[in-house]
């Protein structure tokens, strides 16, 4: 086969195009990928077809080089690709590997719904989790992800993470949620005290119960900082109680984190009714549901917040 560039130059000369443009086109046809493409499709392409495709070939090479130089293109994230289109060479744009990776990451992030949670748990990973003082919890977390993703229809008891301020409870919840998201499982992480305040501020509002309804149905729910909420029998019975009752009935995994252990939490939830009386039965009922849903893990260690750079 004669040199494509040379043949093209001849044709272009006939058409009397500017010298500069001719040179650009010649360079484009000298591109390795272009040559290979023409070679592979030579039965389909006449010299005239190739000449007619010059602007597309030029587009292909110039976009490709722009990407190589790290410059912005018209369709960022998309790589040009040569195709045959009705006996002409054409350029199509396909998502680049980097874009696919980014989209996949986005899809993973989208599976974790965070409500009033700190941003830094977005990238929390079990693999990065410093094990000191939480070997058991980290191991159980890994096991949960494995067992849940291999049989999501079965009931899996989740975890109740107890430990003092700053030991990494919230971080571990985030890491579990992200680990599940990697496997395609959606979860909702909820900072319970803030949620309780929001609920209280919107009593009687249609949105309140809709929100509770959404939260209670999420495949995996994580209630962060439970017990740090302001005491109110309405939050306990009509919000938390309703959510937990549903989760228990439907056997939906529910995680908790708290500064309090379960015994302390029960005391906290005694609260008082409007008449100022403690309600041990109601507190017990909440605890029964929590115990059904989650196993208690104690996390010890230093307060990591004080050691942050
Ligand atoms: P808690 O919820 O128990 O109060 P956090 O989960 O908020 O504590 O953790 C406190 C700080 O330490 C956060 O900034 C968190 O990102 C960081 N952190 C906690 N655990 C780890 C870990 N295993 N590896 C790296 N950073 C961690
Ligand atoms: Mg926390």
């Amino acid at each position: 086969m004669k040199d494509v560039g040379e043949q093209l130059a001849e044709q272009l000369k006939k058409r009397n195009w500017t010298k500069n443009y001719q040179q650009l086109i010649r360079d484009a046809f000298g591109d390795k990928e272009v040559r290979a493409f023409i070679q592979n499709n030579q039965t389909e392409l006449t010299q005239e077809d190739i000449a007619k495709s010059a602007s597309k070939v030029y587009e292909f090479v110039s976009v490709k080089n722009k990407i190589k130089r790290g410059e912005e293109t018209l369709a960022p994230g998309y790589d040009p690709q040569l195709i045959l289109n009705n006996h002409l060479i054409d350029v199509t744009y396909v998502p680049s590997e980097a874009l696919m990776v980014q989209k996949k990451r986005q899809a993973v992030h989208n599976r974790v719904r965070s409500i009033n949670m700190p941003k830094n748990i977005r990238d929390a990973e079990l693999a990065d989790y410093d094990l000191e003082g939480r070997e058991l919890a980290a191991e159980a977390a890994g096991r949960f992800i494995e067992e849940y993703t291999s049989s999501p229809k079965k009931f899996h008891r989740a975890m109740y993470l107890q430990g003092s301020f700053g030991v990494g409870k919230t971080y571990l919840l985030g890491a579990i949620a992200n680990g599940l998201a990697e496997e395609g499982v959606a979860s909702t992480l909820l900072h319970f005290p803030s949620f309780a305040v929001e609920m209280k501020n919107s009593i009687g509002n249609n949105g309140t119960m809709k929100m509770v309804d959404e939260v209670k149905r999420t495949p995996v729910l994580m209630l962060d900082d439970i017990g740090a909420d302001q005491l109110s029998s309405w939050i306990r019975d009509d919000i938390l109680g309703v959510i937990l009752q549903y989760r228990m009935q439907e056997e939906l995994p529910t995680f908790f984190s708290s500064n309090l252990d379960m015994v302390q939490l029960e005391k906290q939830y005694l609260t008082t009714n409007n008449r100022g009386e403690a309600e041990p039965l109601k507190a017990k009922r909440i605890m029964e549901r929590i115990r059904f849903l989650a196993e208690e893990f104690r996390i010890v260690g230093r307060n990591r917040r004080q050691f942050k750079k």
Side-chain angles (χ1 to χ4, degrees):
M1 196 173 144
K2 248 175 105 185
D3 186 299
V4 176
E6 265 175 42
Q7 286 175 0
L8 183 78
E10 277 168 30
Q11 301 227 15
L12 291 177
K13 224 181 269 166
K14 281 185 217 144
R15 293 186 191 185
N16 208 16
W17 284 354
T18 67
K19 215 171 159 211
N20 191 22
Y21 190 68
Q22 277 180 42
Q23 186 58 45
L24 290 173
I25 296 290
R26 200 186 334 231
D27 288 349
F29 275 100
D31 178 89
K32 246 189 177 163
E33 257 183 276
V34 172
R35 281 166 172 263
F37 182 84
I38 292 173
Q39 186 76 38
N40 292 339
N41 294 285
Q42 51 183 318
T43 50
E44 302 275 331
L45 290 166
T46 64
Q47 286 310 314
E48 173 141 25
D49 294 336
I50 295 174
K52 274 195 209 150
S53 307
S55 67
K56 287 296 177 181
V57 169
Y58 174 68
E59 175 186 332
F60 169 77
V61 175
S62 62
V63 174
K64 188 175 89 161
N65 289 336
K66 254 189 180 171
I67 293 172
K68 222 186 257 168
R69 291 192 299 266
E71 293 169 21
E72 177 124 349
T73 62
L74 281 176
Y78 288 81
D79 289 340
Q81 194 178 298
L82 292 172
I83 51 161
L84 218 50
N85 182 7
N86 201 16
H87 285 285
L88 291 175
I89 302 172
D90 204 346
V91 186
T92 183
Y93 289 86
V94 293
S96 67
E97 219 165 281
L99 183 69
M100 300 293 273
V101 168
Q102 194 203 331
K103 279 193 166 167
K104 189 169 169 251
R105 277 188 59 156
Q106 190 56 48
V108 168
H109 281 314
N110 289 348
R111 281 186 207 113
V112 181
R113 182 173 181 208
S114 293
I115 306 177
N116 296 318
M117 296 293 291
K119 278 211 183 67
N120 65 2
I121 58 156
R122 221 178 120 89
D123 298 311
E125 272 188 47
L126 217 45
D128 293 344
Y129 199 64
D130 164 12
L131 289 177
E132 180 205 344
R134 42 273 184 69
E135 293 85 353
L136 281 179
E139 199 188 307
R143 209 167 42 235
F144 177 89
I145 295 173
E146 221 177 275
E147 289 176 359
Y148 181 79
T149 49
S150 63
S151 52
K153 293 236 153 67
K154 260 175 64 185
F155 174 62
H156 301 275
R157 205 155 165 239
M159 304 166 71
Y160 179 104
L161 306 176
Q162 188 272 321
S164 55
F165 183 75
V167 293
K169 302 180 296 294
T170 299
Y171 186 93
L172 182 53
L173 289 184
I176 298 170
N178 292 336
L180 287 168
E182 291 277 350
E183 304 295 327
V185 179
S187 55
T188 300
L189 271 127
L190 187 76
H191 185 245
F192 193 70
S194 319
F195 183 71
V197 169
E198 271 176 29
M199 292 295 107
K200 227 182 246 173
N201 291 342
S202 60
I203 295 183
N205 186 327
N206 263 347
T208 322
M209 282 309 151
K210 196 169 158 262
M211 186 72 171
V212 171
D213 212 54
E214 267 177 44
V215 165
K216 77 180 190 191
R217 288 172 203 277
T218 185
V220 176
L221 177 63
M222 304 189 170
L223 300 180
D224 191 31
D225 256 337
I226 193 162
D229 39 299
Q230 278 182 0
L231 296 182
S232 132
S233 51
W234 181 69
I235 293 292
R236 182 195 58 199
D237 304 330
D238 296 330
I239 304 295
L240 185 61
V242 165
I243 293 173
L244 298 185
Q245 174 64 22
Y246 184 84
R247 312 273 319 161
M248 197 171 106
Q249 255 167 23
E250 301 296 317
E251 302 195 332
L252 296 170
T254 311
F255 288 76
F256 304 85
S257 88
S258 183
N259 285 2
L260 309 175
D261 63 28
M262 289 198 190
V263 174
Q264 292 167 324
L265 186 69
E266 179 162 350
K267 284 197 190 119
Q268 173 92 337
Y269 277 131
L270 286 175
T271 72
T272 48
N273 59 20
N274 325 344
R275 295 186 299 279
E277 301 154 344
E279 299 179 304
L281 280 179
K282 292 197 168 164
K284 229 180 201 75
R285 195 172 307 152
I286 289 283
M287 293 316 299
E288 264 169 28
R289 294 171 187 165
I290 293 178
R291 284 203 177 88
F292 174 86
L293 290 164
E295 181 184 348
E296 185 166 354
F297 287 85
R298 185 166 159 67
I299 298 183
V300 295
R302 58 187 166 84
N303 176 355
R304 277 158 199 275
R305 287 181 212 194
Q306 292 170 348
F307 292 84
K308 289 294 273 192
K309 298 147 258 169

